[in-house]
Short mmCIF file of all heavy atoms in Angstrom, two decimals:
data_model
loop_
_atom_site.label_atom_id
_atom_site.label_comp_id
_atom_site.label_asym_id
_atom_site.label_seq_id
_atom_site.Cartn_x
_atom_site.Cartn_y
_atom_site.Cartn_z
N VAL J 1 173.14 92.54 -93.14
CA VAL J 1 173.29 91.95 -91.81
C VAL J 1 172.78 92.93 -90.76
O VAL J 1 172.77 94.13 -90.97
CB VAL J 1 174.77 91.59 -91.50
CG1 VAL J 1 175.27 90.50 -92.43
CG2 VAL J 1 175.67 92.83 -91.59
N LYS J 2 172.37 92.37 -89.65
CA LYS J 2 171.97 93.20 -88.50
C LYS J 2 173.18 93.42 -87.62
O LYS J 2 173.82 92.47 -87.20
CB LYS J 2 170.89 92.48 -87.67
CG LYS J 2 169.57 92.33 -88.38
CD LYS J 2 168.66 93.50 -88.07
CE LYS J 2 167.31 93.28 -88.76
NZ LYS J 2 166.69 94.54 -89.15
N VAL J 3 173.47 94.68 -87.37
CA VAL J 3 174.61 95.01 -86.52
C VAL J 3 174.09 95.59 -85.21
O VAL J 3 173.18 96.42 -85.21
CB VAL J 3 175.53 96.04 -87.21
CG1 VAL J 3 176.71 96.38 -86.31
CG2 VAL J 3 176.01 95.52 -88.54
N GLU J 4 174.66 95.10 -84.14
CA GLU J 4 174.26 95.59 -82.81
C GLU J 4 175.54 95.87 -82.03
O GLU J 4 176.50 95.12 -82.15
CB GLU J 4 173.49 94.46 -82.13
CG GLU J 4 172.53 94.88 -81.07
CD GLU J 4 171.81 93.63 -80.54
OE1 GLU J 4 171.45 92.75 -81.34
OE2 GLU J 4 171.67 93.55 -79.32
N ILE J 5 175.53 96.95 -81.29
CA ILE J 5 176.72 97.24 -80.50
C ILE J 5 176.39 97.18 -79.01
O ILE J 5 175.30 97.54 -78.59
CB ILE J 5 177.31 98.62 -80.87
CG1 ILE J 5 176.26 99.70 -80.90
CG2 ILE J 5 178.05 98.54 -82.20
CD1 ILE J 5 176.78 101.08 -81.22
N LEU J 6 177.35 96.67 -78.27
CA LEU J 6 177.21 96.56 -76.82
C LEU J 6 178.06 97.66 -76.21
O LEU J 6 179.25 97.49 -75.96
CB LEU J 6 177.66 95.17 -76.36
CG LEU J 6 176.99 94.00 -77.09
CD1 LEU J 6 177.61 92.67 -76.68
CD2 LEU J 6 175.49 93.98 -76.87
N ARG J 7 177.44 98.83 -76.03
CA ARG J 7 178.23 100.02 -75.62
C ARG J 7 178.84 99.84 -74.24
O ARG J 7 179.87 100.44 -73.94
CB ARG J 7 177.37 101.29 -75.67
CG ARG J 7 177.05 101.72 -77.08
CD ARG J 7 176.48 103.13 -77.11
NE ARG J 7 177.49 104.13 -77.44
CZ ARG J 7 177.84 105.13 -76.64
NH1 ARG J 7 177.27 105.28 -75.47
NH2 ARG J 7 178.77 105.99 -77.01
N ASP J 8 178.21 99.04 -73.40
CA ASP J 8 178.76 98.81 -72.06
C ASP J 8 180.14 98.17 -72.14
O ASP J 8 181.00 98.42 -71.30
CB ASP J 8 177.86 97.87 -71.25
CG ASP J 8 176.58 98.57 -70.83
OD1 ASP J 8 176.49 99.79 -71.06
OD2 ASP J 8 175.70 97.90 -70.27
N LYS J 9 180.33 97.32 -73.15
CA LYS J 9 181.60 96.61 -73.30
C LYS J 9 182.65 97.45 -74.02
O LYS J 9 183.83 97.26 -73.82
CB LYS J 9 181.39 95.34 -74.12
CG LYS J 9 180.73 94.20 -73.40
CD LYS J 9 180.63 93.04 -74.38
CE LYS J 9 180.82 91.69 -73.74
NZ LYS J 9 180.91 90.65 -74.79
N CYS J 10 182.23 98.32 -74.93
CA CYS J 10 183.15 99.06 -75.79
C CYS J 10 184.18 99.83 -74.96
O CYS J 10 183.83 100.50 -73.99
CB CYS J 10 182.36 100.03 -76.67
SG CYS J 10 183.41 101.10 -77.68
N VAL J 11 185.45 99.71 -75.38
CA VAL J 11 186.52 100.44 -74.68
C VAL J 11 187.08 101.58 -75.54
O VAL J 11 188.11 102.16 -75.23
CB VAL J 11 187.66 99.50 -74.24
CG1 VAL J 11 187.16 98.54 -73.16
CG2 VAL J 11 188.24 98.71 -75.41
N GLY J 12 186.40 101.84 -76.67
CA GLY J 12 186.78 102.99 -77.49
C GLY J 12 188.10 102.84 -78.23
O GLY J 12 188.78 103.84 -78.49
N SER J 13 188.47 101.62 -78.58
CA SER J 13 189.75 101.41 -79.27
C SER J 13 189.75 101.96 -80.69
O SER J 13 190.80 102.26 -81.24
CB SER J 13 190.08 99.92 -79.31
OG SER J 13 189.13 99.25 -80.11
N GLY J 14 188.56 102.06 -81.29
CA GLY J 14 188.45 102.65 -82.62
C GLY J 14 188.77 101.73 -83.79
O GLY J 14 188.70 102.15 -84.94
N ASN J 15 189.09 100.47 -83.52
CA ASN J 15 189.41 99.53 -84.61
C ASN J 15 188.26 99.42 -85.60
O ASN J 15 188.48 99.39 -86.82
CB ASN J 15 189.69 98.13 -84.06
CG ASN J 15 190.70 98.10 -82.95
OD1 ASN J 15 190.79 99.06 -82.18
ND2 ASN J 15 191.44 97.03 -82.85
N CYS J 16 187.06 99.32 -85.09
CA CYS J 16 185.90 99.14 -85.97
C CYS J 16 185.71 100.37 -86.86
O CYS J 16 185.36 100.24 -88.04
CB CYS J 16 184.64 98.88 -85.16
SG CYS J 16 184.23 100.18 -83.98
N VAL J 17 185.97 101.54 -86.32
CA VAL J 17 185.81 102.78 -87.08
C VAL J 17 186.80 102.82 -88.24
O VAL J 17 186.46 103.20 -89.37
CB VAL J 17 185.97 104.01 -86.17
CG1 VAL J 17 185.80 105.31 -86.95
CG2 VAL J 17 184.99 103.94 -85.02
N GLU J 18 188.03 102.40 -87.96
CA GLU J 18 189.04 102.40 -89.03
C GLU J 18 188.66 101.47 -90.16
O GLU J 18 188.94 101.75 -91.32
CB GLU J 18 190.39 101.99 -88.44
CG GLU J 18 191.09 103.16 -87.81
CD GLU J 18 192.49 102.83 -87.35
OE1 GLU J 18 193.13 101.95 -87.96
OE2 GLU J 18 192.91 103.46 -86.38
N LEU J 19 188.03 100.36 -89.81
CA LEU J 19 187.67 99.38 -90.84
C LEU J 19 186.42 99.78 -91.62
O LEU J 19 186.32 99.48 -92.80
CB LEU J 19 187.43 98.02 -90.19
CG LEU J 19 188.70 97.23 -89.89
CD1 LEU J 19 188.39 96.09 -88.95
CD2 LEU J 19 189.31 96.72 -91.19
N ALA J 20 185.47 100.39 -90.98
CA ALA J 20 184.19 100.65 -91.64
C ALA J 20 183.58 101.96 -91.12
O ALA J 20 182.66 101.96 -90.30
CB ALA J 20 183.24 99.47 -91.40
N LYS J 21 184.12 103.06 -91.64
CA LYS J 21 183.68 104.39 -91.21
C LYS J 21 182.23 104.68 -91.57
O LYS J 21 181.60 105.56 -90.99
CB LYS J 21 184.55 105.47 -91.85
CG LYS J 21 185.88 105.65 -91.19
CD LYS J 21 186.59 106.87 -91.77
CE LYS J 21 187.91 107.17 -91.08
NZ LYS J 21 188.76 106.04 -90.84
N TRP J 22 181.73 103.98 -92.57
CA TRP J 22 180.35 104.23 -92.99
C TRP J 22 179.35 103.55 -92.04
O TRP J 22 178.16 103.78 -92.14
CB TRP J 22 180.13 103.80 -94.43
CG TRP J 22 180.22 102.32 -94.66
CD1 TRP J 22 179.16 101.44 -94.74
CD2 TRP J 22 181.39 101.54 -94.85
NE1 TRP J 22 179.64 100.17 -94.93
CE2 TRP J 22 181.00 100.20 -95.01
CE3 TRP J 22 182.76 101.84 -94.89
CZ2 TRP J 22 181.91 99.17 -95.22
CZ3 TRP J 22 183.65 100.80 -95.09
CH2 TRP J 22 183.24 99.50 -95.25
N VAL J 23 179.86 102.71 -91.16
CA VAL J 23 178.98 101.99 -90.24
C VAL J 23 179.21 102.43 -88.79
O VAL J 23 178.26 102.61 -88.04
CB VAL J 23 179.21 100.46 -90.34
CG1 VAL J 23 178.36 99.71 -89.31
CG2 VAL J 23 178.91 99.97 -91.74
N PHE J 24 180.49 102.62 -88.44
CA PHE J 24 180.84 102.90 -87.04
C PHE J 24 181.48 104.28 -86.90
O PHE J 24 182.20 104.74 -87.79
CB PHE J 24 181.84 101.86 -86.52
CG PHE J 24 181.38 100.44 -86.67
CD1 PHE J 24 181.94 99.63 -87.65
CD2 PHE J 24 180.42 99.91 -85.84
CE1 PHE J 24 181.52 98.30 -87.80
CE2 PHE J 24 180.00 98.59 -85.98
CZ PHE J 24 180.56 97.79 -86.96
N ALA J 25 181.22 104.90 -85.77
CA ALA J 25 181.91 106.15 -85.41
C ALA J 25 182.15 106.11 -83.91
O ALA J 25 181.61 105.24 -83.21
CB ALA J 25 181.06 107.35 -85.79
N GLN J 26 182.96 107.04 -83.44
CA GLN J 26 183.17 107.12 -82.00
C GLN J 26 182.50 108.37 -81.47
O GLN J 26 182.61 109.45 -82.05
CB GLN J 26 184.66 107.15 -81.69
CG GLN J 26 185.27 105.75 -81.63
CD GLN J 26 186.76 105.79 -81.39
OE1 GLN J 26 187.52 105.97 -82.34
NE2 GLN J 26 187.18 105.63 -80.15
N ASP J 27 181.82 108.21 -80.37
CA ASP J 27 181.13 109.30 -79.71
C ASP J 27 182.16 110.34 -79.24
O ASP J 27 183.16 109.99 -78.61
CB ASP J 27 180.39 108.72 -78.50
CG ASP J 27 179.40 109.68 -77.89
OD1 ASP J 27 179.72 110.88 -77.80
OD2 ASP J 27 178.31 109.24 -77.51
N ASP J 28 181.92 111.60 -79.59
CA ASP J 28 182.83 112.68 -79.17
C ASP J 28 182.94 112.78 -77.66
O ASP J 28 183.95 113.18 -77.11
CB ASP J 28 182.34 114.03 -79.69
CG ASP J 28 182.60 114.18 -81.18
OD1 ASP J 28 183.45 113.44 -81.71
OD2 ASP J 28 181.94 115.02 -81.81
N GLU J 29 181.87 112.42 -76.98
CA GLU J 29 181.82 112.59 -75.53
C GLU J 29 182.57 111.48 -74.78
O GLU J 29 183.46 111.76 -73.99
CB GLU J 29 180.36 112.58 -75.05
CG GLU J 29 179.50 113.59 -75.77
CD GLU J 29 179.07 114.71 -74.86
OE1 GLU J 29 178.57 114.39 -73.77
OE2 GLU J 29 179.23 115.88 -75.25
N ASP J 30 182.21 110.23 -75.03
CA ASP J 30 182.80 109.15 -74.24
C ASP J 30 183.72 108.24 -75.05
O ASP J 30 184.29 107.30 -74.51
CB ASP J 30 181.72 108.34 -73.52
CG ASP J 30 180.74 107.67 -74.47
OD1 ASP J 30 181.00 107.66 -75.69
OD2 ASP J 30 179.72 107.13 -73.98
N GLY J 31 183.86 108.50 -76.36
CA GLY J 31 184.77 107.71 -77.18
C GLY J 31 184.24 106.34 -77.56
O GLY J 31 184.90 105.58 -78.25
N LYS J 32 183.04 106.04 -77.12
CA LYS J 32 182.49 104.72 -77.42
C LYS J 32 181.83 104.70 -78.79
O LYS J 32 181.50 105.73 -79.36
CB LYS J 32 181.48 104.32 -76.34
CG LYS J 32 182.16 104.09 -74.99
CD LYS J 32 181.22 103.43 -74.03
CE LYS J 32 181.92 103.20 -72.69
NZ LYS J 32 181.22 102.21 -71.88
N VAL J 33 181.64 103.48 -79.27
CA VAL J 33 181.17 103.29 -80.63
C VAL J 33 179.70 103.73 -80.81
O VAL J 33 178.88 103.63 -79.89
CB VAL J 33 181.35 101.80 -81.02
CG1 VAL J 33 180.45 100.90 -80.18
CG2 VAL J 33 181.13 101.57 -82.50
N LEU J 34 179.43 104.23 -82.00
CA LEU J 34 178.08 104.59 -82.41
C LEU J 34 177.82 103.96 -83.77
O LEU J 34 178.75 103.81 -84.57
CB LEU J 34 177.94 106.11 -82.59
CG LEU J 34 178.15 107.01 -81.39
CD1 LEU J 34 178.19 108.47 -81.84
CD2 LEU J 34 177.02 106.81 -80.40
N LEU J 35 176.58 103.62 -84.04
CA LEU J 35 176.22 103.16 -85.39
C LEU J 35 175.75 104.36 -86.19
O LEU J 35 174.82 105.04 -85.78
CB LEU J 35 175.09 102.12 -85.30
CG LEU J 35 175.45 100.74 -84.79
CD1 LEU J 35 174.20 99.87 -84.75
CD2 LEU J 35 176.51 100.10 -85.67
N VAL J 36 176.41 104.63 -87.31
CA VAL J 36 176.06 105.83 -88.07
C VAL J 36 175.17 105.53 -89.26
O VAL J 36 174.64 106.44 -89.89
CB VAL J 36 177.31 106.61 -88.53
CG1 VAL J 36 178.04 107.19 -87.34
CG2 VAL J 36 178.24 105.76 -89.36
N ALA J 37 175.00 104.28 -89.59
CA ALA J 37 174.19 103.95 -90.77
C ALA J 37 173.00 103.07 -90.40
O ALA J 37 172.49 102.32 -91.22
CB ALA J 37 175.07 103.25 -91.81
N GLY J 38 172.57 103.16 -89.15
CA GLY J 38 171.48 102.30 -88.71
C GLY J 38 172.00 100.90 -88.44
O GLY J 38 173.21 100.65 -88.48
N SER J 39 171.10 99.97 -88.17
CA SER J 39 171.54 98.64 -87.75
C SER J 39 171.37 97.60 -88.86
O SER J 39 171.77 96.46 -88.71
CB SER J 39 170.77 98.21 -86.51
OG SER J 39 169.39 98.19 -86.80
N ASP J 40 170.79 98.01 -89.98
CA ASP J 40 170.59 97.08 -91.09
C ASP J 40 171.59 97.42 -92.19
O ASP J 40 171.40 98.38 -92.93
CB ASP J 40 169.16 97.25 -91.62
CG ASP J 40 168.54 95.92 -91.93
OD1 ASP J 40 169.29 94.93 -92.07
OD2 ASP J 40 167.30 95.88 -92.07
N ILE J 41 172.65 96.64 -92.27
CA ILE J 41 173.78 96.99 -93.13
C ILE J 41 173.91 95.96 -94.24
O ILE J 41 173.78 94.76 -94.00
CB ILE J 41 175.08 96.97 -92.28
CG1 ILE J 41 174.94 97.84 -91.04
CG2 ILE J 41 176.29 97.36 -93.11
CD1 ILE J 41 174.77 99.30 -91.31
N PRO J 42 174.17 96.39 -95.47
CA PRO J 42 174.43 95.41 -96.53
C PRO J 42 175.62 94.52 -96.15
O PRO J 42 176.53 94.98 -95.46
CB PRO J 42 174.79 96.27 -97.75
CG PRO J 42 174.27 97.62 -97.44
CD PRO J 42 174.27 97.77 -95.95
N ASP J 43 175.60 93.28 -96.59
CA ASP J 43 176.71 92.35 -96.32
C ASP J 43 178.04 93.03 -96.63
O ASP J 43 178.19 93.63 -97.69
CB ASP J 43 176.59 91.11 -97.20
CG ASP J 43 175.83 90.02 -96.48
OD1 ASP J 43 175.47 90.23 -95.32
OD2 ASP J 43 175.59 88.98 -97.10
N SER J 44 178.97 92.90 -95.73
CA SER J 44 180.24 93.58 -95.92
C SER J 44 181.34 92.85 -95.18
O SER J 44 181.21 92.58 -93.98
CB SER J 44 180.12 95.02 -95.39
OG SER J 44 181.38 95.53 -95.04
N ASP J 45 182.41 92.51 -95.88
CA ASP J 45 183.55 91.86 -95.24
C ASP J 45 184.13 92.76 -94.16
O ASP J 45 184.57 92.30 -93.12
CB ASP J 45 184.64 91.55 -96.27
CG ASP J 45 184.25 90.40 -97.19
OD1 ASP J 45 183.27 89.70 -96.88
OD2 ASP J 45 184.92 90.22 -98.22
N ALA J 46 184.14 94.07 -94.43
CA ALA J 46 184.74 95.01 -93.48
C ALA J 46 183.96 95.01 -92.16
O ALA J 46 184.55 95.11 -91.08
CB ALA J 46 184.80 96.41 -94.08
N VAL J 47 182.66 94.90 -92.24
CA VAL J 47 181.85 94.90 -91.02
C VAL J 47 182.08 93.61 -90.24
O VAL J 47 182.22 93.61 -89.01
CB VAL J 47 180.36 95.10 -91.36
CG1 VAL J 47 179.48 94.90 -90.13
CG2 VAL J 47 180.14 96.49 -91.94
N MET J 48 182.17 92.49 -90.96
CA MET J 48 182.47 91.21 -90.29
C MET J 48 183.84 91.28 -89.63
O MET J 48 184.02 90.82 -88.50
CB MET J 48 182.45 90.05 -91.30
CG MET J 48 181.09 89.69 -91.82
SD MET J 48 179.94 89.24 -90.50
CE MET J 48 180.60 87.64 -90.05
N GLU J 49 184.79 91.85 -90.35
CA GLU J 49 186.14 91.95 -89.81
C GLU J 49 186.16 92.84 -88.57
O GLU J 49 186.86 92.56 -87.60
CB GLU J 49 187.08 92.50 -90.88
CG GLU J 49 188.53 92.21 -90.59
CD GLU J 49 189.47 92.69 -91.69
OE1 GLU J 49 189.05 92.72 -92.86
OE2 GLU J 49 190.60 93.07 -91.35
N ALA J 50 185.38 93.92 -88.62
CA ALA J 50 185.31 94.82 -87.47
C ALA J 50 184.80 94.08 -86.25
O ALA J 50 185.34 94.24 -85.14
CB ALA J 50 184.41 96.01 -87.80
N ALA J 51 183.80 93.24 -86.45
CA ALA J 51 183.26 92.47 -85.32
C ALA J 51 184.32 91.50 -84.79
O ALA J 51 184.46 91.33 -83.57
CB ALA J 51 182.01 91.73 -85.75
N LEU J 52 185.07 90.90 -85.71
CA LEU J 52 186.10 89.94 -85.30
C LEU J 52 187.26 90.61 -84.57
O LEU J 52 187.83 90.05 -83.63
CB LEU J 52 186.66 89.22 -86.54
CG LEU J 52 185.82 88.10 -87.10
CD1 LEU J 52 186.35 87.69 -88.47
CD2 LEU J 52 185.82 86.91 -86.17
N ILE J 53 187.58 91.81 -85.01
CA ILE J 53 188.78 92.47 -84.49
C ILE J 53 188.51 93.27 -83.21
O ILE J 53 189.45 93.64 -82.50
CB ILE J 53 189.36 93.38 -85.61
CG1 ILE J 53 190.88 93.41 -85.51
CG2 ILE J 53 188.79 94.77 -85.57
CD1 ILE J 53 191.54 94.05 -86.70
N CYS J 54 187.26 93.48 -82.90
CA CYS J 54 186.95 94.23 -81.67
C CYS J 54 187.55 93.50 -80.47
O CYS J 54 187.26 92.33 -80.24
CB CYS J 54 185.43 94.37 -81.50
SG CYS J 54 185.01 95.15 -79.92
N PRO J 55 188.39 94.18 -79.69
CA PRO J 55 189.12 93.49 -78.62
C PRO J 55 188.23 93.01 -77.47
O PRO J 55 188.65 92.19 -76.67
CB PRO J 55 190.12 94.55 -78.13
CG PRO J 55 189.54 95.86 -78.54
CD PRO J 55 188.77 95.60 -79.81
N VAL J 56 187.02 93.54 -77.39
CA VAL J 56 186.17 93.16 -76.26
C VAL J 56 184.85 92.51 -76.68
O VAL J 56 183.96 92.28 -75.87
CB VAL J 56 185.87 94.40 -75.36
CG1 VAL J 56 187.14 94.85 -74.65
CG2 VAL J 56 185.27 95.53 -76.17
N GLY J 57 184.72 92.22 -77.97
CA GLY J 57 183.50 91.56 -78.43
C GLY J 57 182.26 92.40 -78.23
O GLY J 57 181.25 91.93 -77.71
N ALA J 58 182.35 93.67 -78.66
CA ALA J 58 181.22 94.58 -78.45
C ALA J 58 180.33 94.73 -79.68
O ALA J 58 179.40 95.52 -79.67
CB ALA J 58 181.74 95.94 -78.01
N ILE J 59 180.65 93.98 -80.75
CA ILE J 59 179.87 94.10 -81.99
C ILE J 59 179.22 92.77 -82.31
O ILE J 59 179.90 91.76 -82.48
CB ILE J 59 180.78 94.54 -83.17
CG1 ILE J 59 181.45 95.86 -82.85
CG2 ILE J 59 179.97 94.63 -84.46
CD1 ILE J 59 182.53 96.27 -83.85
N MET J 60 177.91 92.77 -82.36
CA MET J 60 177.17 91.55 -82.68
C MET J 60 176.66 91.63 -84.11
O MET J 60 176.22 92.67 -84.57
CB MET J 60 176.00 91.36 -81.72
CG MET J 60 176.45 91.11 -80.29
SD MET J 60 175.07 90.99 -79.16
CE MET J 60 174.49 89.34 -79.55
N ILE J 61 176.74 90.50 -84.79
CA ILE J 61 176.24 90.39 -86.16
C ILE J 61 175.11 89.37 -86.16
O ILE J 61 175.29 88.23 -85.71
CB ILE J 61 177.36 89.92 -87.13
CG1 ILE J 61 178.58 90.85 -87.06
CG2 ILE J 61 176.83 89.79 -88.55
CD1 ILE J 61 178.39 92.23 -87.64
N ASN J 62 173.97 89.79 -86.67
CA ASN J 62 172.79 88.91 -86.70
C ASN J 62 172.54 88.26 -85.34
O ASN J 62 172.25 87.06 -85.24
CB ASN J 62 172.93 87.86 -87.80
CG ASN J 62 172.87 88.47 -89.18
OD1 ASN J 62 172.22 89.50 -89.39
ND2 ASN J 62 173.55 87.87 -90.14
N GLY J 63 172.66 89.07 -84.30
CA GLY J 63 172.32 88.60 -82.96
C GLY J 63 173.37 87.75 -82.28
O GLY J 63 173.13 87.22 -81.19
N LYS J 64 174.54 87.61 -82.93
CA LYS J 64 175.58 86.75 -82.33
C LYS J 64 176.91 87.46 -82.31
O LYS J 64 177.21 88.26 -83.19
CB LYS J 64 175.75 85.47 -83.15
CG LYS J 64 174.59 84.55 -83.10
CD LYS J 64 174.91 83.29 -83.89
CE LYS J 64 173.66 82.46 -84.10
NZ LYS J 64 173.63 81.79 -85.38
N LEU J 65 177.72 87.08 -81.35
CA LEU J 65 179.13 87.50 -81.38
C LEU J 65 179.84 86.61 -82.38
O LEU J 65 179.59 85.40 -82.41
CB LEU J 65 179.76 87.35 -79.99
CG LEU J 65 179.25 88.35 -78.94
CD1 LEU J 65 179.81 88.00 -77.57
CD2 LEU J 65 179.64 89.78 -79.33
N VAL J 66 180.71 87.18 -83.19
CA VAL J 66 181.39 86.37 -84.22
C VAL J 66 182.80 86.00 -83.78
O VAL J 66 183.32 86.55 -82.82
CB VAL J 66 181.43 87.09 -85.59
CG1 VAL J 66 180.02 87.25 -86.11
CG2 VAL J 66 182.13 88.41 -85.50
S1 SF4 Z 101 186.48 97.93 -81.95
FE1 SF4 Z 101 185.14 97.37 -80.22
S2 SF4 Z 101 186.02 98.40 -78.44
FE2 SF4 Z 101 186.90 99.36 -80.26
S3 SF4 Z 101 185.55 101.14 -80.67
FE3 SF4 Z 101 184.79 99.41 -81.90
S4 SF4 Z 101 183.22 98.46 -80.61
FE4 SF4 Z 101 184.45 99.75 -79.28
#
């Protein structure tokens, strides 16, 4: 899947990082999300769940908010 993050929206809650550390990390400087494995990720329930659980809808999957 294609993963895209909307850093402007991210509030640094870290939920996505807890679910999928191999995909998401938090920036040491501003606490906002970073993609650590690029944007082309193998299908993963954890990544879908991370997008669903993000409190501000900052994670897009295949170009859409889930
Ligand atoms: S769950 Fe959403 S708001 Fe929280 S760190 Fe991840 S992208 Fe940012």
Side-chain angles (χ1 to χ4, degrees):
V1 295
K2 292 268 183 212
V3 180
E4 205 177 319
I5 48 179
L6 307 174
R7 289 192 98 240
D8 287 354
K9 284 181 144 188
C10 175
V11 293
S13 65
N15 309 31
C16 59
V17 180
E18 277 186 30
L19 279 165
K21 281 188 176 45
W22 67 98
V23 177
F24 305 106
Q26 276 177 277
D27 193 319
D28 285 342
E29 306 249 310
D30 61 11
K32 293 192 180 198
V33 66
L34 297 171
L35 286 179
V36 293
S39 59
D40 221 342
I41 307 295
D43 268 356
S44 156
D45 288 347
V47 172
M48 289 302 288
E49 199 177 330
L52 281 168
I53 213 169
C54 175
V56 291
I59 301 171
M60 294 177 77
I61 304 290
N62 292 331
K64 292 183 192 145
L65 290 173
V66 295

